[in-house]
Amino acid sequence: MLLRMRSEDLFSKAIELIPGGVNSPVRAFRGVGGTPRFIKSARGATITDVDGRTYIDYVGSWGPMILGHADEEVVAALQEAAAGGTSFGAPTELEVNLAQEVVDAVPSIEMVRMVSSGTEATLSAIRLARGVTGRTKLVKFEGCYHGHGDSLLVKAGSGVATLGLPDSPGVPAALAQNTITVPFNNAAALEGVFAEHNDIAAVIIEPVVGNMGCVPPQAGYLESVRKLTKANGTLLIFDEVMTGFRLARGGAQELYGISPDITTLGKIIGGGLPVGAYGGSREIMNNIAPAGPIYQAGTLSGNPLSMTAGLVTLRRLRDKSVYEQLNNASRRLCEGLSAGASEVGIKTEINRVGSMWTSFFTDEPVTNWETANRSSREQYGKFFHAMLEEGVYLAPSQFEAAFVSLAHTDDIVYQTVNAARSAFEKIKRADRY
Ligand code: KE4
């Protein structure tokens, strides 16, 4: 008789107290089925649930834990900082130091404002772009996610270049119609939008998409987006909440050599504590209150603990060899996963950029939402649970990126590839009956 897991008991109680039993929807395992594991602790490349089961973790809190969990230097710095007070609502040297770290690392950022989440960063960046240009319309891309700001919970209208429709109850149609949604990796579609509309304030894009699963830009695509926005007086917002300091110290914009007008950041720059940020040229950023008229504020913006964890993390990422280590481990991992699937005849397409990756259960290249969406959610769910049983914790959704940290040693990668081989064989056997 299977013992009831403590996670099941906690989930039953959580559902009574918290909508869906979670404080962020993806955690509820609805994309893969089953009971979410309630995590008690984590260290390095592993997490441990309330039933004492330890898993090799490839979610990494959805990106922030690039050093690995409970990094000793981060924890020690936080303990010292907390002993001195956790929040003052007043400026601190820590904020100046983290701003300097970001400015030194990200070429297009001369000034930066700290906030407390990626959502705050993107909704503030959009307000900034609208305020600076005096325009209202916004362009986003199918399959890209930029947090839950009203202007961004919008789906494509019928046909390209048409006005958006709310993608969630509570989003006013009057607001949604200012957001136009086009396919990613399709420069002609974006060109068509500019042919129809001459009042676009901003284009916001995940330069490497993580939120439909990992989907890289095709050759020349980001250059086309940059050229079209510049030609039309539209500001280009690179949403690097996930890719910032992940793909390179200067993010995707360093990797692809594109200079956006505004960059949003989050996740890694807080080292696992609540954080977001947006930055750009002095000319643009000095429009933000109190320097300028565009309002934005936050009680815990730049709080000492997030700044402390962020500073330790970003200072460790100054050594560019860390990205070689992350990329090599990730390459070996994805080569092993791909080989494991093909050896048992399961069709997967793996997209990887640096240390973010996704195994799509499909037999065609995944280059946008339309192709991503044709992947088998059912097969992904089976793989997810087979890997969970093997002690590997993947993203509980086909449409998320997975992450490798500096704590994922060769041995951890080797264990994961072996676990995947067993998981693929298990799925194949199950499919035969
Ligand atoms: P937050 O508000 O969740 O800090 O950031 C929103 C956001 C903005 N931009 C990008 C590119 C993002 O990936 C995110 C948040 N990412 C998701 C993972 N797909 C967070 C996980 C969750 O929603 O629980």
Side-chain angles (χ1 to χ4, degrees):
M1 191 263 279
L2 276 178
L3 280 176
R4 190 172 160 76
M5 296 188 298
R6 237 172 90 54
S7 281
E8 288 170 319
D9 292 340
L10 282 170
F11 193 42
S12 303
K13 182 173 179 185
I15 281 172
E16 299 302 315
L17 298 164
I18 306 167
V22 292
N23 282 310
S24 199
V26 71
R27 302 176 191 174
F29 275 25
R30 293 199 175 194
V32 292
T35 301
R37 299 301 189 266
F38 282 61
I39 303 306
K40 182 174 176 58
S41 66
R43 177 170 294 284
T46 66
I47 54 176
T48 299
D49 69 17
V50 292
D51 291 287
R53 283 227 47 194
T54 294
Y55 309 89
I56 299 173
D57 176 28
Y58 286 97
V59 174
S61 180
W62 302 101
M65 309 319 294
I66 196 166
L67 301 185
H69 290 288
D71 175 84
E72 285 182 9
E73 192 185 354
V74 170
V75 172
L78 281 173
Q79 285 168 332
E80 185 183 345
T86 56
S87 181
F88 315 121
T92 66
E93 184 178 357
L94 289 165
E95 294 161 88
V96 177
N97 294 343
L98 190 61
Q100 187 65 66
E101 202 67 31
V102 169
V103 167
D104 290 349
V106 186
S108 67
I109 295 182
E110 293 179 324
M111 296 184 88
V112 62
R113 166 62 61 86
M114 291 291 155
V115 293
S116 295
S117 71
T119 292
E120 254 195 290
T122 57
L123 65 81
S124 305
I126 289 163
R127 182 180 310 131
L128 173 58
R130 286 173 164 158
V132 164
T133 61
R135 299 175 178 179
T136 302
K137 289 206 180 73
L138 172 72
V139 175
K140 73 175 289 289
F141 298 84
E142 273 172 324
C144 285
Y145 173 72
H146 305 285
H148 59 89
D150 277 351
S151 295
L152 294 158
L153 294 183
V154 171
K155 61 189 170 200
S158 55
V160 179
T162 53
L163 306 183
L165 302 169
D167 202 15
S168 162
V171 174
L175 185 61
Q177 67 182 13
N178 291 312
T179 303
I180 298 163
T181 304
V182 291
F184 185 74
N185 272 329
N186 182 334
L190 184 62
E191 199 165 3
V193 171
F194 281 110
E196 292 281 308
H197 305 273
N198 60 8
D199 57 345
I200 296 172
V203 167
I204 185 166
I205 192 167
E206 288 184 69
V208 172
V209 187
N211 287 291
M212 57 173 122
C214 179
V215 176
Q218 290 174 327
Y221 177 63
L222 293 178
E223 287 80 355
S224 301
V225 174
R226 179 62 286 183
K227 196 172 163 201
L228 282 165
T229 45
K230 210 176 272 292
N232 288 279
T234 295
L235 296 186
L236 176 57
I237 302 173
F238 262 22
D239 179 357
E240 298 224 42
V241 166
M242 189 183 283
T243 56
F245 292 91
R246 166 63 59 181
L247 302 183
R249 187 157 173 257
Q253 56 193 272
E254 176 186 307
L255 200 62
Y256 293 94
I258 302 283
S259 189
D261 299 298
I262 301 172
T263 301
T264 52
L265 296 167
K267 296 183 192 274
I268 289 174
I269 68 167
L273 272 75
V275 76
Y278 60 107
S281 68
R282 275 196 182 77
E283 184 190 1
I284 287 178
M285 292 304 290
N286 271 324
N287 285 282
I288 292 288
I294 301 173
Y295 197 69
Q296 179 266 310
T299 303
L300 292 170
S301 295
N303 76 82
L305 300 189
S306 297
M307 300 297 100
T308 296
L311 270 170
V312 170
T313 302
L314 298 196
R315 285 169 176 163
R316 285 268 282 286
L317 299 176
R318 285 177 183 170
D319 172 1
K320 300 237 172 185
S321 70
V322 299
Y323 291 101
E324 285 165 45
Q325 179 187 334
L326 287 165
N327 296 349
N328 290 337
S330 306
R331 179 178 39 74
R332 278 195 300 278
L333 173 70
C334 290
E335 285 169 354
L337 294 176
S338 186
S342 54
E343 275 160 23
V344 300
I346 290 181
K347 298 236 183 273
T348 63
E349 280 284 322
I350 295 189
N351 284 352
R352 176 181 73 83
V353 180
S355 56
M356 61 188 264
W357 54 277
T358 298
S359 294
F360 290 97
F361 283 72
T362 184
D363 58 1
E364 60 179 322
V366 177
T367 59
N368 57 21
W369 173 242
E370 186 188 352
T371 47
N373 193 29
R374 287 203 286 263
S375 304
S376 168
R377 292 164 172 76
E378 186 196 359
Q379 276 222 319
Y380 182 83
K382 289 176 186 170
F383 181 61
F384 173 85
H385 282 287
M387 288 291 265
L388 205 58
E389 282 163 28
E390 294 286 336
V392 178
Y393 188 87
L394 298 175
S397 163
Q398 169 70 97
F399 308 110
E400 292 286 356
F403 303 94
V404 173
S405 82
L406 290 169
H408 285 80
T409 59
D410 289 351
D411 182 48
I412 292 257
V413 169
Y414 179 74
Q415 285 178 51
T416 308
V417 170
N418 283 343
R421 208 175 296 278
S422 307
F424 286 127
E425 284 161 3
K426 187 174 181 179
I427 299 171
K428 197 67 183 175
R429 279 196 303 276
D431 284 352
R432 280 197 200 104
Y433 305 109

